[in-house]
Amino acid sequence: MPILAGIDYEEAGSGPAAICLHGIGGDATSFGPQFGALPARVISWSMPGYRQSLPGKLTFGGLSGALERFMDALGLEDAHIVGHSIGGMIAQDFALRHPARVRSLALIGTTPAFGGRDPSFAEAFLKDRLAPLDAGMSMAEMARAAAPLVCGPDAPPEVHAAVERPMANVPEPVWRDILACLTTFNRREETGKLTMPACLIAGSEDRNAPAKTMEKMAAAMPDAEYHLIEGAGHMINQEAPERVNAILSAFYGRLA
């Protein structure tokens, strides 16, 4: 597996670069269903601390900085940015910090801010998410229990396995730190500043990034299209790869 600027990544295809940013329990393999299926050079990273990527500062500023250095190492002035879940939050943060480097945004199962406005919501969220580990469960055991819960009801066992595998391999300290990072995200008031072409994809059964939230987010963006995939849970690009690939291919086709 190649490593550039401390980032472990995988890539496939040719054309304009599309850098894919995975969710909190993923890694570079999480966008495997998109490899070779889009009219783009699909580059999927493992964010700092994941797989073989070097540890880094797990704040949105730190993660956006890591993405900037990764693009520099790839020799890319700009790229299409694709983000799922917390990867979509990193994508938004990066696009607000470095708009000239973002040809387009594809946001999958993500939100413009974390949860509620009350700090107690974040505290309760962290307590709930960390409870299994605090009780002595291993990351592998936690991943086995969590994978089916983030997928839609119709996701087959092989999708559960694909979701479970990278989650089980996240180092526990990194998992704790990235969850804490997640709770700090709030770009809600700046959504309208994301003026680059955007494609938002929601799952009807996604309890982490509700479809209504994504629809409102798309409406607040000056140049955004919104798509709803019925039956999909949170792991949309893995659960419904043919639909996602068709949507993204058409989106990139219009930008060509």
Side-chain angles (χ1 to χ4, degrees), residues 41-133:
R41 176 190 175 193
V42 176
I43 304 166
S44 182
W45 83 344
S46 294
M47 69 174 150
Y50 282 65
R51 213 163 72 160
Q52 299 301 311
S53 292
L54 296 178
K57 192 173 184 181
L58 295 182
T59 64
F60 284 99
L63 291 165
S64 284
L67 178 56
E68 182 181 26
R69 292 188 294 275
F70 181 51
M71 287 180 65
D72 289 344
L74 286 165
L76 298 173
E77 289 293 326
D78 58 28
H80 299 293
I81 305 295
V82 184
H84 168 248
S85 195
I86 198 173
M89 295 175 175
I90 298 167
Q92 292 170 67
D93 186 83
F94 182 79
L96 289 165
R97 294 173 188 267
H98 307 286
R101 304 201 71 169
V102 180
R103 296 182 66 172
S104 74
L105 278 177
L107 303 176
I108 305 172
T110 194
T111 59
F114 169 79
R117 300 173 188 270
D118 188 337
S120 65
F121 182 88
E123 293 171 9
F125 170 86
L126 286 173
K127 184 177 180 180
D128 179 66
R129 292 298 179 95
L130 295 175
L133 299 177

Side-chain angles (χ1 to χ4, degrees), residues 167-182:
M167 191 185 302
N169 289 320
V170 180
E172 183 176 328
V174 172
W175 182 259
R176 290 177 178 274
D177 287 348
I178 199 65
L179 281 171
C181 172
L182 172 68

Side-chain angles (χ1 to χ4, degrees), residues 10-12 18-24 26-38 42-46 51 81-88 91 106-109 162 166 201 234-238 241 244-245 248 252:
E10 296 187 12
E11 70 168 279
I19 299 180
C20 299
L21 313 176
H22 61 79
I24 206 161
D27 64 17
T29 65
S30 298
F31 282 92
Q34 283 62 62
F35 290 156
L38 302 179
V42 176
I43 304 166
S44 182
W45 83 344
S46 294
R51 213 163 72 160
I81 305 295
V82 184
H84 168 248
S85 195
I86 198 173
L107 303 176
I108 305 172
I201 306 175
H234 189 52
M235 312 307 290
I236 304 166
N237 64 293
Q238 293 173 281
V244 169
N245 293 342
L248 290 179
Y252 292 142

